[in-house]
Amino acid sequence: MNTVQARYLQTSRRSQGEAMARWWLGMILLGGVALFACWLVGTRPLDIGSDTETYAGFFENLVQGMPETRLEPGFVYLSYALYKLGLGVTGYQFALFGLLLAMVALAVRRYRFYLETPVSWQTLLCASLMLLFISPMFTNASINAIRQGLAAPLVFVALLGFHRRRWGTFALAGALAASLHLSSAMYLACAPALLLSTRWLRVVAAGAFLAYVSGISMLAVRAGAPGFYDVVMEYTANPLYRSGVRIDFAVFTIFWYLLPHFLAPLIQAPWRQRILDSTSVYLVMSLPFFLIGWGFFSNRYLLPAWLAVSMILAAVLCHARIAPLRNPLLIRIGLLASCGVFYIYVSRGIVI
């Protein structure tokens, strides 16, 4: 071996060692952030989160065995397995949120495959968690709509699979999502809209949006399917929460669809179109709201879409043409800073 070859091998080994060290440091950071967030959500008082006390009571009643309940079987069996491990209420809350983080990590992994990007899974996950932690919708999934929060990343995975014609991924992720929260079936039922061209999907979504904000969708369901209308209006009815058409939610939802398109010039060209294509998945995830989003707690029909948009914007950030925006170190610093925002949200019960 000559001197040049020896120096090349030495440099290659040093580069591999540095890359491995960075990988481990990244995993330590993610692990620390996950432990902090799980501690924060797991140790919250029972009066933080409107549904926290209900879930705690359900878990404590598992001492009597598997109950008769309206809750979905996947969630019931999951809860029973956690109970059999000897966890208390704090451990139960810790484990459920840890599982939510695992679902997000899975969704980010599948989204990375969808994008066919060289950006590392670690960096894309750090960016996604950073944006999720500063999102009140993610707090809602963590302390209120817990079952739907667990199912939401799986809905995103399922629809990404459908969009790429990966039928096995769609079926498996969709079945798991529906076993955790039955509302997942609504989003899966809208999946065929992804077979349309982008132009026609926008036409369908625009029509659904106009039908919703004008009140036509509510009137049509009430006239054509009065039984279904009653189910929607009676589900979690609450006099303290306004039902009916929520134009603010509808406009807010369309804004997050348009934002990546406004930012498109800032995205690196090789991955711009793939990221913009993924906004079609977000648009399909909003269709159930435009159909029945006039019932009580209608923001929950938008929860999966609102969580997915954080991952889409994370992809925009990680593929930005402006180098500092996609700098892995700055993204990880941003993740640490977002933990403070998440602490404020959870400790004060701030949700949308």
Side-chain angles (χ1 to χ4, degrees):
M1 181 182 298
N2 59 38
T3 303
V4 174
Q5 289 175 325
R7 288 178 178 175
Y8 174 78
L9 288 175
Q10 185 178 11
T11 302
S12 178
R13 287 169 183 165
R14 186 184 302 116
S15 298
Q16 290 176 358
E18 291 174 353
M20 183 61 68
R22 286 195 297 269
W23 186 86
W24 277 109
L25 286 173
M27 292 305 296
I28 291 171
L29 172 66
L30 283 169
V33 167
L35 283 175
F36 165 78
C38 287
W39 165 81
L40 177 62
V41 174
T43 59
R44 74 186 187 277
L46 296 184
D47 61 346
I48 296 293
S50 59
D51 292 345
T52 299
E53 192 169 354
T54 300
Y55 280 106
F58 163 74
F59 183 73
E60 290 176 333
N61 287 334
L62 291 175
V63 67
Q64 302 174 13
M66 295 289 283
E68 291 287 338
T69 176
R70 66 174 181 82
L71 300 183
E72 291 79 1
F75 183 80
V76 172
Y77 282 112
L78 170 63
S79 299
Y80 191 67
L82 294 175
Y83 171 77
K84 296 299 286 185
L85 290 175
L87 300 180
V89 170
T90 297
Y92 179 56
Q93 294 181 159
F94 188 108
L96 288 180
F97 184 74
L99 185 59
L100 172 58
L101 292 181
M103 296 296 186
V104 170
L106 172 64
V108 170
R109 182 177 178 83
R110 299 308 306 175
Y111 187 38
R112 179 174 178 269
F113 289 156
Y114 175 93
L115 296 176
E116 299 179 349
T117 173
V119 173
S120 72
W121 168 77
Q122 262 191 19
T123 299
L124 188 56
L125 178 58
C126 285
S128 297
L129 288 176
M130 176 183 68
L131 295 179
L132 285 169
F133 281 176
I134 64 176
S135 166
M137 289 77 82
F138 184 69
T139 308
N140 192 25
S142 305
I143 65 176
N144 281 343
I146 296 172
R147 287 176 294 132
Q148 191 173 20
L150 287 171
L154 291 172
V155 171
F156 187 49
V157 170
L159 293 179
L160 287 174
F162 191 98
H163 203 203
R164 296 199 66 185
R165 312 300 191 261
R166 302 292 176 85
W167 312 121
T169 298
F170 171 72
L172 179 58
L176 288 174
S179 76
L180 293 170
H181 201 272
L182 191 58
S183 69
S184 302
M186 295 190 302
Y187 310 98
L188 304 178
C190 293
L194 290 170
L195 299 175
L196 299 173
S197 66
T198 301
R199 179 182 177 182
W200 279 107
L201 177 58
R202 289 174 179 171
V203 170
V204 169
F209 172 82
L210 293 174
Y212 175 78
V213 297
S214 65
I216 292 175
S217 62
M218 181 174 64
L219 294 174
V221 172
R222 184 166 61 186
F228 181 62
Y229 174 85
D230 291 339
V231 169
V232 173
M233 290 301 296
E234 292 171 4
Y235 180 68
T236 63
N238 189 327
L240 300 178
Y241 190 91
R242 179 165 62 92
S243 63
V245 174
R246 294 296 302 264
I247 296 178
D248 51 347
F249 286 168
V251 172
F252 187 69
T253 299
I254 294 299
F255 167 79
W256 290 113
Y257 171 74
L258 294 176
L259 182 59
H261 294 270
F262 289 145
L263 298 176
L266 299 178
I267 304 173
Q268 295 179 80
W271 298 282
R272 182 183 303 149
Q273 190 56 51
R274 181 68 73 173
I275 293 173
L276 295 181
D277 287 345
S278 69
T279 63
S280 294
V281 174
Y282 169 82
L283 202 57
V284 167
M285 295 172 81
S286 69
L287 293 180
F289 170 80
F290 294 139
L291 176 63
I292 60 172
W294 28 260
F296 291 96
F297 296 101
S298 56
N299 59 322
R300 294 197 177 186
Y301 297 121
L302 287 166
L303 184 64
W306 284 351
L307 296 188
V309 80
S310 291
M311 289 178 261
I312 295 173
L313 290 177
V316 173
L317 182 65
C318 291
H319 297 86
R321 295 174 61 189
I322 303 173
L325 292 178
R326 65 175 190 271
N327 185 288
L329 178 60
L330 291 182
I331 288 174
R332 284 160 174 79
I333 292 173
L335 173 59
L336 290 174
S338 71
C339 290
V341 178
F342 190 55
Y343 175 83
I344 294 173
Y345 283 164
V346 173
S347 61
R348 298 183 181 180
I350 298 174
V351 301
I352 289 183

Coordinates of all heavy atoms in Angstrom, one line a residue, residues 277-325:
D277 N -46.2 17.7 -3.8 CA -47.2 16.6 -4.0 C -47.7 16.1 -2.7 O -48.9 15.7 -2.6 CB -46.4 15.4 -4.7 CG -46.2 15.7 -6.2 OD1 -46.8 16.7 -6.7 OD2 -45.3 15.0 -6.8
S278 N -46.9 16.1 -1.6 CA -47.4 15.6 -0.3 C -48.5 16.5 0.3 O -49.2 16.0 1.2 CB -46.2 15.5 0.7 OG -45.7 16.7 1.1
T279 N -48.6 17.7 -0.2 CA -49.7 18.6 0.3 C -51.0 18.1 -0.1 O -52.1 18.4 0.5 CB -49.5 20.0 -0.1 OG1 -49.5 20.1 -1.5 CG2 -48.2 20.6 0.4
S280 N -51.0 17.2 -1.2 CA -52.3 16.6 -1.6 C -52.8 15.7 -0.5 O -54.1 15.6 -0.3 CB -52.1 15.9 -2.9 OG -51.8 16.7 -4.0
V281 N -51.9 15.0 0.2 CA -52.3 14.1 1.3 C -53.0 15.0 2.4 O -54.0 14.6 2.9 CB -51.1 13.3 1.8 CG1 -51.5 12.5 3.0 CG2 -50.6 12.4 0.7
Y282 N -52.3 16.1 2.7 CA -52.9 17.0 3.7 C -54.3 17.5 3.3 O -55.2 17.5 4.1 CB -52.0 18.2 3.9 CG -52.6 19.3 4.7 CD1 -52.6 19.3 6.1 CD2 -53.2 20.4 4.1 CE1 -53.2 20.3 6.8 CE2 -53.8 21.4 4.8 CZ -53.8 21.4 6.2 OH -54.3 22.4 6.9
L283 N -54.5 17.8 2.0 CA -55.8 18.3 1.5 C -56.8 17.2 1.7 O -58.0 17.5 2.1 CB -55.6 18.7 0.1 CG -56.7 19.7 -0.5 CD1 -56.7 20.9 0.3 CD2 -56.4 20.0 -2.0
V284 N -56.5 15.9 1.4 CA -57.4 14.8 1.5 C -57.8 14.7 3.0 O -58.9 14.4 3.3 CB -56.9 13.6 0.9 CG1 -57.7 12.3 1.4 CG2 -56.8 13.7 -0.6
M285 N -56.8 14.9 3.9 CA -57.1 14.7 5.3 C -58.0 15.8 5.9 O -58.6 15.6 6.9 CB -55.8 14.7 6.1 CG -54.8 13.6 5.8 SD -53.2 13.8 6.5 CE -53.5 13.2 8.2
S286 N -58.2 16.9 5.1 CA -59.1 17.9 5.5 C -60.6 17.7 5.1 O -61.5 18.4 5.5 CB -58.6 19.3 5.0 OG -58.7 19.4 3.6
L287 N -60.8 16.8 4.1 CA -62.1 16.6 3.5 C -63.2 16.2 4.5 O -64.3 16.7 4.5 CB -62.0 15.6 2.4 CG -61.2 16.1 1.1 CD1 -61.2 15.0 0.1 CD2 -61.8 17.4 0.6
P288 N -62.9 15.3 5.5 CA -63.9 15.0 6.5 C -64.4 16.2 7.2 O -65.6 16.3 7.6 CB -63.3 14.0 7.4 CG -62.2 13.3 6.5 CD -61.7 14.4 5.7
F289 N -63.6 17.1 7.6 CA -64.0 18.3 8.3 C -65.0 19.1 7.4 O -66.0 19.6 7.9 CB -62.8 19.2 8.6 CG -63.2 20.6 9.1 CD1 -63.6 20.7 10.5 CD2 -63.2 21.7 8.3 CE1 -64.0 22.0 10.9 CE2 -63.6 22.9 8.8 CZ -64.0 23.1 10.1
F290 N -64.7 19.3 6.1 CA -65.6 20.0 5.3 C -66.9 19.4 5.1 O -67.9 20.0 4.7 CB -64.9 20.2 3.9 CG -63.7 21.1 3.9 CD1 -62.6 20.8 3.2 CD2 -63.7 22.2 4.7 CE1 -61.5 21.6 3.2 CE2 -62.5 23.0 4.8 CZ -61.4 22.7 4.0
L291 N -67.0 18.0 5.4 CA -68.3 17.3 5.3 C -69.1 17.4 6.6 O -70.3 17.7 6.5 CB -68.0 15.9 5.0 CG -69.3 15.0 5.0 CD1 -70.2 15.4 3.8 CD2 -68.9 13.5 4.8
I292 N -68.4 17.2 7.7 CA -69.2 17.2 9.0 C -68.6 18.1 10.1 O -68.8 17.9 11.3 CB -69.3 15.7 9.5 CG1 -67.9 15.1 9.8 CG2 -70.1 14.9 8.5 CD1 -68.0 13.8 10.4
G293 N -67.8 19.0 9.7 CA -67.1 19.9 10.7 C -68.0 20.9 11.3 O -67.5 22.0 11.7
W294 N -69.3 20.7 11.3 CA -70.2 21.6 12.0 C -70.8 21.1 13.3 O -71.6 21.7 13.9 CB -71.4 21.9 11.0 CG -71.7 20.8 10.1 CD1 -71.3 20.7 8.7 CD2 -72.4 19.6 10.3 NE1 -71.8 19.6 8.2 CE2 -72.4 18.9 9.1 CE3 -73.1 19.1 11.5 CZ2 -73.1 17.6 9.1 CZ3 -73.7 17.9 11.4 CH2 -73.7 17.1 10.2
G295 N -70.3 19.9 13.7 CA -70.7 19.4 15.0 C -69.8 20.0 16.1 O -69.0 20.9 15.9
F296 N -70.0 19.4 17.3 CA -69.3 19.9 18.5 C -67.8 19.4 18.4 O -67.5 18.3 17.8 CB -69.9 19.4 19.8 CG -71.2 20.0 20.1 CD1 -72.4 19.4 19.7 CD2 -71.3 21.2 20.7 CE1 -73.6 19.9 20.0 CE2 -72.5 21.8 21.0 CZ -73.7 21.2 20.6
F297 N -66.9 20.2 18.9 CA -65.5 19.8 18.9 C -65.0 19.5 17.5 O -64.3 18.5 17.2 CB -65.2 18.7 19.8 CG -65.4 19.0 21.3 CD1 -66.6 18.5 21.9 CD2 -64.5 19.7 22.0 CE1 -66.9 18.8 23.2 CE2 -64.8 20.0 23.3 CZ -66.0 19.6 24.0
S298 N -65.4 20.3 16.5 CA -65.1 20.0 15.1 C -63.6 20.2 14.8 O -63.1 19.6 13.8 CB -65.9 21.0 14.2 OG -65.6 22.3 14.5
N299 N -62.9 20.8 15.7 CA -61.4 20.9 15.5 C -60.8 19.5 15.5 O -59.7 19.3 14.9 CB -60.8 21.8 16.5 CG -61.0 21.3 18.0 OD1 -62.1 20.8 18.3 ND2 -60.0 21.5 18.8
R300 N -61.4 18.5 16.2 CA -60.8 17.2 16.2 C -60.8 16.5 14.9 O -60.0 15.6 14.6 CB -61.5 16.4 17.3 CG -61.3 16.9 18.7 CD -61.6 15.9 19.8 NE -61.3 16.5 21.1 CZ -61.4 15.8 22.2 NH1 -61.8 14.5 22.2 NH2 -61.1 16.3 23.4
Y301 N -61.8 16.9 14.0 CA -61.8 16.3 12.7 C -60.6 16.8 11.9 O -60.2 16.2 10.9 CB -63.1 16.7 11.9 CG -64.3 16.2 12.6 CD1 -65.3 17.0 13.0 CD2 -64.5 14.8 12.8 CE1 -66.5 16.6 13.6 CE2 -65.7 14.3 13.4 CZ -66.6 15.2 13.8 OH -67.8 14.7 14.4
L302 N -59.9 17.9 12.3 CA -58.8 18.4 11.6 C -57.5 18.0 12.3 O -56.4 18.4 11.7 CB -58.9 20.0 11.6 CG -59.9 20.5 10.7 CD1 -60.2 22.0 10.9 CD2 -59.5 20.4 9.2
L303 N -57.5 17.4 13.4 CA -56.3 17.0 14.1 C -55.3 16.3 13.3 O -54.1 16.7 13.3 CB -56.6 16.3 15.4 CG -55.5 16.0 16.3 CD1 -54.9 17.2 16.9 CD2 -55.9 15.1 17.5
P304 N -55.6 15.2 12.6 CA -54.6 14.5 11.8 C -53.9 15.4 10.7 O -52.7 15.4 10.5 CB -55.4 13.4 11.2 CG -56.5 13.1 12.1 CD -56.9 14.5 12.6
A305 N -54.7 16.2 10.1 CA -54.2 17.1 9.1 C -53.3 18.2 9.7 O -52.2 18.5 9.2 CB -55.3 17.8 8.3
W306 N -53.7 18.8 10.8 CA -52.9 19.8 11.4 C -51.6 19.2 12.0 O -50.6 20.0 12.1 CB -53.7 20.4 12.6 CG -54.8 21.4 12.0 CD1 -54.9 21.8 10.8 CD2 -55.8 22.0 12.8 NE1 -56.0 22.7 10.7 CE2 -56.5 22.8 11.9 CE3 -56.2 22.0 14.1 CZ2 -57.6 23.6 12.3 CZ3 -57.2 22.8 14.6 CH2 -58.0 23.6 13.7
L307 N -51.6 18.0 12.4 CA -50.3 17.4 12.8 C -49.4 17.1 11.6 O -48.2 17.3 11.7 CB -50.6 16.1 13.6 CG -51.3 16.2 14.9 CD1 -51.3 14.9 15.7 CD2 -50.7 17.3 15.8
A308 N -50.0 16.6 10.5 CA -49.2 16.3 9.3 C -48.6 17.5 8.8 O -47.5 17.4 8.2 CB -50.1 15.6 8.3
V309 N -49.2 18.7 8.9 CA -48.6 19.8 8.2 C -47.3 20.2 8.9 O -46.4 20.8 8.3 CB -49.6 21.0 8.3 CG1 -49.6 21.7 9.6 CG2 -49.3 22.0 7.2
S310 N -47.1 19.9 10.2 CA -45.8 20.1 10.8 C -44.7 19.3 10.2 O -43.6 19.8 10.0 CB -45.9 19.8 12.3 OG -46.7 20.7 13.0
M311 N -45.0 18.1 9.8 CA -44.0 17.3 9.1 C -43.7 17.8 7.7 O -42.6 17.7 7.2 CB -44.5 15.8 9.1 CG -44.4 15.2 10.5 SD -45.0 13.5 10.5 CE -46.7 13.7 11.1
I312 N -44.8 18.3 7.0 CA -44.6 18.8 5.7 C -43.7 20.1 5.7 O -42.8 20.3 4.9 CB -45.9 19.1 5.0 CG1 -46.7 17.8 4.8 CG2 -45.8 19.9 3.7 CD1 -48.1 17.9 4.3
L313 N -44.0 21.0 6.7 CA -43.2 22.2 6.9 C -41.8 21.9 7.3 O -40.8 22.6 7.0 CB -43.9 23.1 7.8 CG -45.2 23.8 7.3 CD1 -45.8 24.6 8.4 CD2 -44.9 24.6 6.1
A314 N -41.6 20.8 8.1 CA -40.3 20.3 8.4 C -39.5 19.9 7.2 O -38.3 20.2 7.1 CB -40.3 19.2 9.4
A315 N -40.1 19.3 6.3 CA -39.5 19.0 5.0 C -39.1 20.2 4.2 O -38.0 20.3 3.6 CB -40.4 18.1 4.2
V316 N -40.0 21.2 4.2 CA -39.7 22.5 3.6 C -38.4 23.1 4.2 O -37.5 23.5 3.5 CB -40.8 23.5 3.7 CG1 -40.4 24.9 3.2 CG2 -42.1 23.0 2.9
L317 N -38.3 23.1 5.5 CA -37.2 23.6 6.2 C -35.9 22.8 5.9 O -34.8 23.5 5.6 CB -37.5 23.6 7.7 CG -36.4 24.1 8.7 CD1 -36.2 25.6 8.4 CD2 -36.8 23.9 10.1
C318 N -36.0 21.5 5.9 CA -34.8 20.7 5.7 C -34.3 20.7 4.3 O -33.2 20.3 4.0 CB -35.1 19.3 6.1 SG -35.3 19.0 7.9
H319 N -35.1 21.2 3.3 CA -34.7 21.3 1.9 C -34.7 22.8 1.5 O -34.8 23.0 0.3 CB -35.7 20.5 1.1 CG -35.7 19.0 1.4 ND1 -36.5 18.5 2.3 CD2 -35.0 18.0 0.8 CE1 -36.3 17.2 2.4 NE2 -35.4 16.9 1.5
A320 N -34.5 23.7 2.4 CA -34.5 25.1 2.0 C -33.3 25.4 1.2 O -32.2 24.9 1.4 CB -34.5 26.0 3.3
R321 N -33.4 26.3 0.3 CA -32.3 26.8 -0.5 C -31.4 27.7 0.3 O -30.2 27.8 0.0 CB -32.8 27.6 -1.7 CG -33.6 26.7 -2.7 CD -34.2 27.6 -3.8 NE -33.1 28.3 -4.6 CZ -33.4 29.2 -5.5 NH1 -34.6 29.6 -5.7 NH2 -32.4 29.8 -6.1
I322 N -31.9 28.3 1.4 CA -31.1 29.1 2.3 C -30.4 28.2 3.3 O -31.0 27.6 4.2 CB -31.9 30.1 3.0 CG1 -32.7 31.0 2.0 CG2 -31.1 31.0 4.0 CD1 -33.7 32.0 2.6
A323 N -29.1 28.0 3.2 CA -28.3 27.0 3.9 C -28.5 27.0 5.4 O -28.7 26.0 6.0 CB -26.9 27.1 3.5
P324 N -28.5 28.2 6.1 CA -28.6 28.2 7.5 C -30.0 27.6 8.0 O -30.0 27.1 9.1 CB -28.5 29.7 7.9 CG -27.7 30.3 6.8 CD -28.1 29.6 5.5
L325 N -31.0 27.8 7.2 CA -32.3 27.2 7.6 C -32.3 25.7 7.7 O -33.0 25.2 8.6 CB -33.4 27.7 6.6 CG -33.7 29.2 6.6 CD1 -34.8 29.4 5.5 CD2 -34.2 29.7 8.0

